[in-house]
């Protein structure tokens, strides 16, 4: 069985993320979507909430599992018998950092490869930050995030005032 890991902050999951998950799920037997804890970022949603939003958005994909991790990514891969890390690339601006990370991970564990999937042209502009900014001003988010989680975002923004 071939397994892949798709890591990110997913604060919250967007249609851009979902597009990558869908395509990865057609390539691999199993895809682990892993909510990573990034100490540099102050998230809008808790880790558990982010996992729940991903679960709701991917419930029709039978080979996708949602998980979380706050240690080295390659350790997660090893423990879950996954040899591939999937990353989405929106623009050249994503490339520098992602390329560095791919090489660093390869140095730590030469058995792990990173597979870059080019973002669908429909979503190259889309990030969780854009979603949060639009949500603050009451924009219609239906073109940005899976419909299953629209209310969760609106409610969270209202809660935060
Ligand atoms: P962000 O906070 O920038 O939205 P994440 O850390 O959650 O991103 O991203 C996880 C992964 O998903 C990264 O590989 C990132 O490049 C990719 N990604 C994010 N948004 C998109 C998009 N719109 N299209 C394709 N890939 C994306």
């Amino acid at each position: 069985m071939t397994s892949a890991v798709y890591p990110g902050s997913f604060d919250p999951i967007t249609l851009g993320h979902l597009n990558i998950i869908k395509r990865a799920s057609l390539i691999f037997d199993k895809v682990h979507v892993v909510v990573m804890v990034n100490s540099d970022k102050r998230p809008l949603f808790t880790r558990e909430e982010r996992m729940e939003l991903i679960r709701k958005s991917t419930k029709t994909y039978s080979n996708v599992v949602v998980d979380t991790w706050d240690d080295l990514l390659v350790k997660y891969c090893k423990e879950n018998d996954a040899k591939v890390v999937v990353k989405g690339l929106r623009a050249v601006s994503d490339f520098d950092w992602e390329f560095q990370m791919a090489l660093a991970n390869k140095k730590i564990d030469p058995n792990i490869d990173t597979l870059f999937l080019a973002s669908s042209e429909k979503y190259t502009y889309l990030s969780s930050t854009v979603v949060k900014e639009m949500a603050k001003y009451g924009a219609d988010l239906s073109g940005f995030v899976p419909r299953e989680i629209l209310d969760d975002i609106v409610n969270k923004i209202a809660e935060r005032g």
Side-chain angles (χ1 to χ4, degrees):
M1 188 169 82
T2 60
S3 296
V5 174
Y6 178 41
S9 339
F10 305 109
D11 184 41
I13 183 172
T14 68
L15 288 175
H17 294 130
L18 191 62
N19 177 261
I20 299 290
I21 294 170
K22 193 186 286 180
R23 288 156 62 197
S25 77
L26 296 173
I27 302 173
F28 297 97
D29 297 318
K30 189 172 180 186
V31 178
H32 299 248
V33 181
V34 181
V35 174
M36 302 292 287
V37 178
N38 182 342
S39 47
D40 294 342
K41 290 186 184 171
R42 266 198 65 235
L44 176 63
F45 291 95
T46 66
R47 174 202 310 230
E48 287 69 27
E49 287 169 340
R50 283 180 271 161
M51 291 172 72
E52 190 48 34
L53 296 181
I54 301 170
R55 277 195 203 101
K56 276 190 184 180
S57 311
T58 59
K59 60 177 182 293
T60 57
Y61 307 140
S62 56
N63 62 343
V64 170
V65 293
V66 183
D67 210 346
T68 183
W69 190 248
D70 46 19
D71 200 339
L72 280 175
L73 183 63
V74 293
K75 279 198 201 166
Y76 181 91
C77 294
K78 200 165 193 170
E79 283 190 15
N80 290 277
D81 206 19
K83 297 208 164 35
V84 178
V85 173
V86 171
K87 287 285 183 160
L89 284 185
R90 281 163 291 197
V92 183
S93 50
D94 275 344
F95 183 79
D96 259 1
W97 171 247
E98 296 297 358
F99 192 59
Q100 261 184 312
M101 286 309 291
L103 293 181
N105 285 337
K106 188 97 187 139
K107 178 97 180 158
I108 301 170
D109 188 338
N111 297 311
I112 310 279
D113 266 311
T114 301
L115 176 71
F116 293 108
L117 294 180
S119 173
S120 157
E121 79 287 354
K122 279 189 291 192
Y123 303 127
T124 43
Y125 67 90
L126 191 53
S127 69
S128 300
T129 307
V130 165
V131 168
K132 285 180 276 193
E133 202 53 26
M134 294 296 159
K136 262 201 271 181
Y137 298 103
D140 172 14
L141 301 178
S142 55
F144 300 153
V145 299
R147 64 178 182 287
E148 293 85 351
I149 68 164
L150 276 170
D151 289 345
D152 298 279
I153 298 176
V154 172
N155 293 342
K156 175 63 99 176
I157 293 288
E159 215 177 85
R160 284 280 173 106

